[in-house]
Amino acid sequence: MLLLARPGPRGGPQASASPPPAARRFPATVPGDAASMLQKREKVLLLRTFQGRTLRIVREHYLRPSVPCNSPLCPQPAACHNDGKLLSAEVTHYVIPDWKVVQDYLEVLEFPELKGVIFMQTACQAVQHQRGRRQYNKLRNLLKDARHDCILFANEFHQHCYLPREKGEAMEKWQTRSIYNSAVWYYHHCEDRMPIVMVTEDEEAIQQYGSETEGVFVISFKNYLDNFWPDLKAAHELCDSILQSRRERENESQETHGKEYPEHLPLEVLEAGIKSGRYIQGILNVNKHRAQIEAFVRLQGASSKDSGLVSDILIYGSKARNRSIHGDVVVVELLPKSEWKGRTVALCENDSDDKASGESPSEPMPTGRVVGILQKNWRDYVVTFPSKEEVQTQGKNAQKILVTPWDYRIPKIRISTQQAEALQDFRVVVRIDSWETTSVYPNGHFVRVLGRIGDLEGEIATILVENSISVVPFSEAQMCEMPVNTPENPWKVSPKEEQERKDLRNTHLVFSIDPKGCEDVDDTLSVRTLSNGNLELGVHIADVTHFVAPNSYIDVEARTRATTYYLADRRYDMLPSILSADLCSLLGGVDRYAVSVMWELDKTSYEIKKVWYGRTIIRSAYKLFYEAAQELLDGNFNIVDDIPEFKALEEQSQQAKLEELVWAIGKLTDIARHIRAKRDRCGALELEGIEVRVQLDDKKNIHDLIPKQPLEVHETVAECMILANHWVAKKIWESFPHQALLRQHPPPHQEFFSELRECAKAKGFFIDTRSNKTLADSLDSANDPKDPLVNKLLRSMATQAMSNALYFSTGSCAEEEFHHYGLALDKYTHFTSPIRRYSDIVVHRLLMAAISKDKKMEIKENLLSNKNLEELCRHINNRNRAAQRSQKQSTELFQCMYFKDRDPETEERCIADGVIYSIRTNGVLVFIPRFGIKGAAYLKNKDGLVISCGPEGRSEWKPGSLQRSQNKIISTTAGGQSVTFHLFDHVTVRISVQASRCHSDTIRLEIVSNQPYMIANTELCHQSSLLKSELVREVTRSVEEAQLAQEVKGKVIQEEHQEYCQTKGRSLYTLLEEIRDLALLDISDSYAM
């Protein structure tokens, strides 16, 4: 008889009765020498490669007498080698999900309330082979996560758990039999002390095994949740949603509908076609402005070299897209040239209909259709349910609902739910399950609610989910690995480290130059004269790897996060604050571990004579802020009163130390000028990026936002960091030529520069883009003395044309591809910010291994193979793109929230000066210096009326037509009046917000006059900083009011954020210094060195 139980007080079920010991089918331990020998078997595997090919592999399969069981009840933990993550001792039963449950209900198994979960290797491999890389990686991350009480049991490598597949046995039946067999062994291995519940969707297995072994219960997953977790409402809702979606898929497959899309070609046909050149492989990129009709395939791998194509392939219309979704790796067949189309050059609002505007497209480009998908890139999607009116138009069957994704590039998703009305005011997470040929839309299921539409926390949660950013708190296991530094137990330099490191505390003047109020100081500098008259330049970086051991819990978490995420009002750290803001922060007057690079330079030419790398102990003498360092460099010594380290000194001592510091800053600046000049001669680029400095008050609230003024000390520090990164790159590559992590910046495609060249030509400038050197020289000479904004905009366009810099493994690229185009360096990496970038942690480990290799010492660091390092680089590059997107989206959100409640007709601040920087067929793109906004301004509205300007320049809409040429656009009314807008013309713009229920709000620009908006320069500067500070203050204040209205919820959020060791709302962290200007950029990926 099956005994079920309800949850007990410790979060698990109470055992209804202790089952009597059963007749043991397997011994708990295997005595004797013979049993300790490995047993050899052969396994035939059909594997799919990353490129989508299927390989048949025969592998030797060795069975062991014991594998880690990771149970605290293990009678022989030493024999099982239980040195990793253990199951909790607090549970009252273990849960073993069958392979089908792991595939279909992994989201439910991710609930932290479900404890004591044992994933069998058989089930994990089923997920890997049948559900693809993304689902398998989710499962791997779940198993690694110290917050989740679950483990992997390698049943297929255990002599008594492995079952060979019988002849004619279905794969599914063998998998279930193997998992049940392993569950029984595990129960007996734990000496029958812990009941085991195997959950399966196989009714036959429930009948067959349900009462076979006392103490091992076999039930359905739904039955398990109903009986063991009746109060876990969210899990029940998610389970029902998945179940309903699955049933509908099964019903649909039985119905015979007319096909909406052609079938995808079989994998072997796709592979053969790619090899022969008939088909082309690439990643699908949907145009978010014309999501229904326009997508592009960016060539990937061999296709990009063999096809002879120099541009992307246009996929026109949803039929040609054939059920592929933005980000999928697809296979494309080119259409005949007679069917090629051009990309649309008209401005387009994000209309759900995306109707063609009738505007003439550009020149025809290669056009194709999708014939197969190699890798689906499905993820969690944030959606909005239709309003009551829209539900009525969808028909009477209210259980099937079309929901609209927040991301314009994702098609509507059909889900089954009875909660549509209750959820219509919320942002909701869904997942796609399938997209059949008979269905216009993909099918999916409801996962969870994020928050109310328009609520700041809900919108921020949306941005995080859309970029696959997880911001869960650091776990107890991770925090237990952290060092302690409290007033009662202060951290100290250990005697062992003093012996092994070079001690610079009494020999070097070390100091940092950072933004004002910065608490996580990654880097410090030093310069001194040596006894032979030469100079020694030093860059000293926080030694994070001393505290973060490879493969430790905190290392796995940092690797998963890959970077610190900066949003407009908060940040999410890669490492806990005990490291990022304390022991790894090179603060003034305290002892810290560092990794240093020190060069001996010629005293006059500053040429590098030799270089030293190693671990050091430093004590920074001064924690300077940029403005103070610049004042000292300029000879203004009144700033000394603002430098805390000088306040306690006597006048004579103060004078001597001041002279020493001023000499050091001056010498560093001279050296940096020399280094920069050398790079300039090789073609280093200076590109435009708008930044602001966030000024905080004593309580860490935003006091003001001030546009960042370029100072020479910024370049001084940057050049020293670039030098260190360059030399470390050379060092690790020389030591490990096939497994070093470097950063490449490929040259941009020449066609991307066409708009830059045309814009410059309109002003009489010639931009030579043949190399980085000619481009840099051309940009330097493209100055309009009457309007400095022209050069800024040209540099901004050059930035947009650039490719993104990427991390890579040196074993995966030819040496000629290592080059960094923007910095004009043959080798480059990231070494100087290990607190906030995981790439730098990897580089530190490589450098330490290189030093050990030079000393002919044992390499302690676990170096990654080329294959593993390449996979890690892909992950870090992906996370960096997510960080850039989330930062951009959060600043857009703040800007919209600021302007949303303003009346653009009456509010003076909603009127601003704008500069036209691009001409389109139906409008222009405008840059607004006052707010750093870039956006579209239409010259032809939806009613077909065109803009007209009266004698005073005031605009109005009238019937007429537009005529566009290369560098101007003419609007002519039916009455014969015309107005011309040229590139770089200054116009007066009205700013408003276009609200959207399903998507993010957007800034809307409207030209109200063809004359510049006149405002005094001093007033402009003042208003710029004032308005930006008001923007953040205003939005933050509205959030605080909302939190007060939900006091209980607010307390929970506050407690959670203390646990996160993150920042938010009122407790803004000083690293907001890193935030880009609150600007709406019109590009999706910002250029980053």
Side-chain angles (χ1 to χ4, degrees):
M1 179 182 172
L2 180 63
L3 298 172
L4 292 178
R6 300 187 78 77
R10 291 181 297 182
Q14 295 170 330
S16 301
S18 296
R24 300 188 178 217
R25 293 179 58 190
F26 308 103
T29 55
V30 185
D33 292 335
S36 65
M37 300 290 289
L38 297 179
Q39 294 179 6
K40 183 180 168 186
R41 297 275 193 280
E42 277 192 352
K43 259 187 129 176
V44 178
L45 301 175
L46 294 174
L47 298 179
R48 182 176 291 184
T49 66
F50 184 67
Q51 287 78 21
R53 298 189 181 90
T54 303
L55 299 176
R56 185 179 185 275
I57 296 174
V58 179
R59 277 192 183 158
E60 293 179 344
H61 187 71
Y62 291 94
L63 303 178
R64 296 161 176 76
S66 63
V67 294
C69 70
N70 298 109
S71 170
L73 300 177
C74 177
Q76 289 187 318
C80 282
H81 305 290
N82 292 333
D83 52 357
K85 180 174 161 187
L86 289 180
L87 290 169
S88 168
E90 299 294 305
V91 297
T92 57
H93 73 294
Y94 292 150
V95 189
I96 297 181
D98 194 7
W99 64 276
K100 185 70 172 159
V101 172
V102 178
Q103 279 192 4
D104 290 348
Y105 296 101
L106 182 60
E107 299 151 71
V108 183
L109 294 169
E110 288 174 341
F111 276 72
E113 289 86 352
L114 271 58
K115 299 183 184 297
V117 184
I118 302 168
F119 289 96
M120 292 294 169
Q121 179 191 356
T122 305
C124 296
Q125 287 179 345
V127 171
Q128 182 183 16
H129 296 144
Q130 293 171 41
R131 284 299 167 93
R133 178 187 292 263
R134 181 171 284 270
Q135 184 87 339
Y136 181 60
N137 283 343
K138 277 188 73 174
L139 178 55
R140 284 174 62 190
N141 291 335
L142 180 68
L143 287 162
K144 288 177 194 170
D145 195 333
R147 287 175 291 264
H148 291 273
D149 187 33
C150 60
I151 55 120
L152 169 70
F153 179 64
N155 63 308
E156 293 200 21
F157 290 113
H158 196 286
Q159 288 175 3
H160 296 286
C161 294
Y162 174 73
L163 291 179
R165 190 172 158 195
E166 293 173 359
K167 194 171 182 181
E169 184 178 24
M171 173 67 80
E172 294 81 2
K173 295 294 177 189
W174 169 75
Q175 288 168 333
T176 301
R177 186 164 64 91
S178 291
I179 291 169
Y180 174 73
N181 182 65
S182 303
V184 174
W185 180 89
Y186 203 97
Y187 174 65
H188 294 317
H189 175 70
C190 293
E191 299 181 330
D192 303 358
R193 289 156 59 195
M194 182 65 73
I196 286 182
V197 181
M198 176 178 163
V199 289
T200 180
E201 293 298 284
D202 187 339
E203 288 295 332
E204 285 182 25
I206 294 171
Q207 294 295 323
Q208 183 180 348
Y209 303 128
S211 55
E212 185 175 302
T213 307
E214 237 177 312
V216 180
F217 307 109
V218 184
I219 59 176
S220 73
F221 191 53
K222 184 84 170 64
N223 194 351
Y224 174 71
L225 288 179
D226 288 344
N227 286 276
F228 286 76
W229 299 97
D231 300 324
L232 197 55
K233 189 182 172 188
H236 283 273
E237 288 175 353
L238 182 52
C239 182
D240 291 341
S241 176
I242 295 169
L243 195 59
Q244 198 166 357
S245 174
R246 204 178 76 195
R247 282 175 186 154
E248 288 203 355
R249 286 205 310 276
E250 289 165 359
N251 292 339
E252 275 186 7
S253 64
Q254 292 166 8
E255 294 172 11
T256 53
H257 293 298
K259 288 194 174 175
E260 298 287 343
Y261 299 98
E263 295 280 359
H264 292 144
L265 296 178
L267 188 62
E268 55 270 20
V269 175
L270 297 175
E271 288 171 358
I274 293 168
K275 247 183 202 173
S276 68
R278 180 181 176 184
Y279 301 139
I280 298 160
Q281 174 183 332
I283 298 171
L284 186 82
N285 284 283
V286 177
N287 177 359
K288 74 172 183 176
H289 300 292
R290 295 184 177 274
Q292 300 297 315
I293 57 172
E294 203 169 80
F296 302 90
V297 170
R298 182 143 295 173
L299 307 185
Q300 187 190 45
S303 294
S304 59
K305 294 169 188 166
D306 304 340
S307 65
L309 295 171
V310 293
S311 72
D312 296 343
I313 299 168
L314 172 66
I315 309 295
Y316 189 85
S318 58
K319 295 284 185 197
R321 212 176 296 172
N322 194 5
R323 297 170 288 142
S324 55
I325 288 174
H326 176 78
D328 286 352
V329 179
V330 297
V331 179
V332 174
E333 180 180 43
L334 279 178
L335 297 174
K337 282 196 175 181
S338 59
E339 295 179 36
W340 285 11
K341 297 179 183 292
R343 71 170 74 215
T344 310
V345 291
L347 296 172
C348 175
E349 290 188 43
N350 283 316
D351 242 341
S352 56
D353 297 334
D354 270 330
K355 296 183 180 72
S357 62
E359 301 286 348
S360 57
S362 60
E363 287 296 310
M365 64 185 292
T367 307
R369 65 186 183 96
V370 173
V371 294
I373 301 174
L374 291 181
Q375 188 180 322
K376 292 186 174 83
N377 197 32
W378 298 352
R379 55 173 173 82
D380 286 4
Y381 298 105
V382 178
V383 302
T384 307
F385 278 72
S387 62
K388 282 183 185 176
E389 298 76 27
E390 291 171 315
V391 169
Q392 287 165 2
T393 63
Q394 285 194 19
K396 291 291 179 187
N397 186 2
Q399 285 195 350
K400 288 186 178 182
I401 299 291
L402 275 178
V403 294
T404 305
W406 185 84
D407 187 340
Y408 283 99
R409 299 168 300 184
I410 308 302
K412 288 182 177 178
I413 301 166
R414 188 174 61 178
I415 69 166
S416 300
T417 181
Q418 295 174 332
Q419 304 179 64
E421 196 171 325
L423 294 174
Q424 62 185 2
D425 295 326
F426 292 88
R427 298 268 186 239
V428 171
V429 178
V430 302
R431 287 180 187 162
I432 294 176
D433 298 313
S434 66
W435 196 347
E436 308 301 334
T437 55
T438 54
S439 176
V440 179
Y441 299 103
N443 293 305
H445 65 269
F446 163 85
V447 178
R448 68 181 188 277
V449 176
L450 283 183
R452 283 193 175 274
I453 296 169
D455 172 63
L456 180 64
E457 289 307 313
E459 297 300 323
I460 289 288
T462 294
I463 290 168
L464 295 176
V465 170
E466 280 294 316
N467 291 290
S468 304
I469 296 171
S470 172
V471 291
V472 289
F474 292 106
S475 71
E476 191 179 339
Q478 290 159 0
M479 296 308 290
C480 283
E481 294 176 342
M482 294 295 95
V484 175
N485 188 25
T486 62
E488 303 78 34
N489 188 11
W491 178 86
K492 292 176 185 170
V493 170
S494 76
K496 184 186 175 204
E497 293 294 328
E498 274 187 316
Q499 288 179 350
E500 294 179 355
R501 292 171 181 264
K502 182 176 279 194
D503 194 337
L504 310 181
R505 288 174 290 185
N506 300 317
T507 55
H508 290 62
L509 174 67
V510 176
F511 56 93
S512 62
I513 306 175
D514 283 288
K516 203 167 190 175
C518 180
E519 289 178 18
D520 67 338
V521 181
D522 275 304
D523 52 85
T524 52
L525 299 163
S526 67
V527 63
R528 63 173 186 160
T529 305
L530 299 173
S531 54
N532 61 4
N534 284 340
L535 296 168
E536 182 193 71
L537 169 66
V539 171
H540 316 281
I541 306 300
D543 190 359
V544 173
T545 56
H546 173 80
F547 299 100
V548 179
N551 299 318
S552 60
Y553 286 133
I554 200 65
D555 182 55
V556 170
E557 181 65 25
R559 189 187 314 154
T560 302
R561 297 188 183 205
T563 181
T564 291
Y565 297 97
Y566 300 94
L567 273 60
D569 68 331
R570 65 194 78 188
R571 75 172 197 174
Y572 295 104
D573 295 330
M574 185 182 81
L575 293 170
S577 58
I578 180 65
L579 296 184
S580 61
D582 191 359
L583 294 180
C584 290
S585 185
L586 308 180
L587 304 168
V590 291
D591 294 346
R592 290 290 181 261
Y593 295 150
V595 178
S596 301
V597 185
M598 293 190 283
W599 300 266
E600 184 178 329
L601 309 176
D602 183 272
K603 59 186 171 187
T604 51
S605 68
Y606 299 142
E607 289 301 316
I608 294 169
K609 298 287 187 185
K610 57 185 175 184
V611 61
W612 179 90
Y613 308 88
R615 281 188 149 135
T616 55
I617 303 171
I618 64 166
R619 185 186 297 136
S620 177
Y622 304 100
K623 183 174 176 287
L624 301 174
F625 54 95
Y626 282 119
E627 290 76 9
Q630 186 65 48
E631 291 289 342
L632 292 176
L633 184 63
D634 295 341
N636 179 9
F637 302 141
N638 294 331
I639 196 72
V640 167
D641 296 337
D642 293 341
I643 301 173
E645 290 87 352
F646 281 110
K647 286 181 182 175
L649 299 175
E650 294 176 7
E651 192 173 337
Q652 192 174 352
S653 174
Q654 187 186 84
Q655 189 59 33
K657 287 190 173 292
L658 179 60
E659 286 174 9
E660 182 186 32
L661 178 60
V662 169
W663 177 86
I665 294 171
K667 192 54 72 177
L668 277 176
T669 305
D670 280 348
I671 294 167
R673 285 173 188 152
H674 171 83
I675 299 166
R676 173 75 203 196
K678 194 173 180 181
R679 284 200 306 111
D680 282 345
R681 289 194 292 274
C682 298
L685 294 168
E686 185 182 330
L687 297 166
E688 184 62 26
I690 307 160
E691 290 186 57
V692 293
R693 182 166 64 79
V694 180
Q695 199 175 72
L696 305 173
D697 62 20
D698 296 336
K699 294 179 181 175
K700 302 284 173 73
N701 291 324
I702 289 187
H703 173 64
D704 213 344
L705 277 174
I706 300 168
K708 188 173 175 183
Q709 298 302 316
L711 304 172
E712 188 170 15
V713 287
H714 289 144
E715 281 201 26
T716 299
V717 174
E719 282 303 326
C720 292
M721 298 305 123
I722 291 168
L723 184 70
N725 288 333
H726 173 53
W727 278 82
V728 168
K730 290 203 294 186
K731 179 66 181 172
I732 61 176
W733 174 74
E734 285 164 5
S735 299
F736 307 106
H738 303 298
Q739 57 190 119
L741 186 152
L742 298 190
R743 190 160 172 82
Q744 63 185 170
H745 183 219
H749 294 290
Q750 284 300 308
E751 64 265 25
F752 294 166
F753 283 124
S754 57
E755 188 173 16
L756 169 66
R757 286 193 291 260
E758 292 301 331
C759 288
K761 192 175 170 186
K763 276 285 181 182
F765 301 123
F766 171 70
I767 303 291
D768 187 344
T769 60
R770 287 174 300 171
S771 71
N772 53 356
K773 172 67 175 154
T774 58
L775 175 61
D777 291 344
S778 300
L779 287 171
D780 286 343
S781 60
N783 270 311
D784 184 344
K786 296 176 186 173
D787 190 357
L789 278 173
V790 170
N791 189 262
K792 278 179 176 288
L793 284 167
L794 290 174
R795 288 185 187 276
S796 178
M797 287 177 196
T799 304
Q800 290 176 39
M802 296 293 160
S803 315
N804 277 332
L806 298 168
Y807 299 109
F808 70 101
S809 171
T810 50
S812 303
C813 275
E815 193 179 342
E816 56 267 23
E817 294 174 24
F818 291 7
H819 188 76
H820 197 294
Y821 178 87
L823 295 175
L825 293 169
D826 60 341
K827 291 175 187 71
Y828 192 69
T829 192
H830 272 165
F831 159 75
T832 54
S833 291
I835 290 175
R836 58 187 177 90
R837 291 190 303 231
Y838 191 76
S839 55
D840 301 49
I841 289 179
V842 176
V843 168
H844 275 235
R845 288 174 182 153
L846 282 162
L847 181 60
M848 291 305 105
I851 293 167
S852 299
K853 190 176 180 183
D854 287 350
K855 294 177 179 176
K856 301 202 166 26
M857 293 165 59
E858 181 191 352
I859 297 176
K860 296 176 185 175
E861 287 72 18
N862 299 322
L863 298 185
L864 296 168
S865 66
N866 172 57
K867 182 185 172 186
N868 291 339
L869 184 57
E870 189 59 26
E871 189 176 336
L872 177 61
C873 288
R874 267 198 299 270
H875 167 70
I876 296 174
N877 290 333
N878 174 280
R879 292 294 80 211
N880 281 349
R881 284 190 290 270
Q884 288 171 5
R885 285 194 304 268
S886 60
Q887 184 176 310
K888 175 177 175 283
Q889 288 162 357
S890 72
T891 54
E892 288 173 351
L893 169 66
F894 261 74
Q895 205 150 25
C896 286
M897 290 181 85
Y898 176 68
F899 283 110
K900 198 168 189 175
D901 298 325
R902 312 284 174 198
D903 183 352
E905 300 294 333
T906 58
E907 287 267 1
E908 191 181 338
R909 66 191 67 187
C910 292
I911 305 294
D913 187 60
V915 185
I916 295 171
Y917 69 94
S918 184
I919 307 284
R920 299 297 166 90
T921 55
N922 60 339
V924 293
L925 294 177
V926 179
F927 171 59
I928 302 174
R930 179 174 167 187
F931 293 110
I933 294 172
K934 286 180 178 178
Y938 290 87
L939 302 183
K940 189 176 194 175
N941 66 16
K942 286 184 176 179
D943 300 324
L945 303 177
V946 299
I947 199 166
S948 168
C949 296
E952 294 179 4
R954 289 283 156 199
S955 68
E956 53 184 321
W957 297 102
K958 291 183 178 179
S961 61
L962 296 176
Q963 187 180 358
R964 175 205 183 206
S965 61
Q966 201 66 56
N967 60 359
K968 66 182 179 182
I969 185 166
I970 303 169
S971 173
T972 308
T973 66
Q977 294 172 311
S978 69
V979 59
T980 304
F981 295 93
H982 296 87
L983 274 174
F984 303 111
D985 275 358
H986 284 249
V987 291
T988 302
V989 177
R990 180 186 291 128
I991 305 165
S992 60
V993 173
Q994 186 163 338
S996 171
R997 190 173 160 276
C998 298
H999 310 283
S1000 59
D1001 293 345
T1002 51
I1003 291 286
R1004 190 164 169 266
L1005 304 181
E1006 184 184 353
I1007 296 175
V1008 293
S1009 168
N1010 63 347
Q1011 302 298 316
Y1013 182 66
M1014 300 310 293
I1015 186 166
N1017 282 340
T1018 52
E1019 193 183 339
L1020 176 65
C1021 294
H1022 173 70
Q1023 283 200 3
S1024 176
S1025 61
L1026 178 70
L1027 286 167
K1028 286 175 182 172
S1029 67
E1030 280 180 5
L1031 186 155
V1032 179
R1033 243 188 260 135
E1034 188 99 358
V1035 177
T1036 307
R1037 194 186 307 126
S1038 70
V1039 176
E1040 288 166 10
E1041 286 166 3
Q1043 286 175 339
L1044 286 171
Q1046 300 179 17
E1047 202 168 330
V1048 178
K1049 185 183 172 187
K1051 283 180 183 172
V1052 173
I1053 291 170
Q1054 199 173 7
E1055 286 167 12
E1056 280 180 359
H1057 274 269
Q1058 284 173 357
E1059 209 179 334
Y1060 284 84
C1061 307
Q1062 315 290 9
T1063 59
K1064 118 186 207 328
R1066 293 166 63 86
S1067 56
L1068 288 165
Y1069 200 69
T1070 49
L1071 254 173
L1072 284 168
E1073 289 287 354
E1074 298 287 340
I1075 293 175
R1076 292 282 175 189
D1077 198 357
L1078 296 175
L1080 288 180
L1081 301 179
D1082 56 351
I1083 49 173
S1084 56
D1085 288 313
S1086 57
Y1087 172 76
M1089 293 296 182

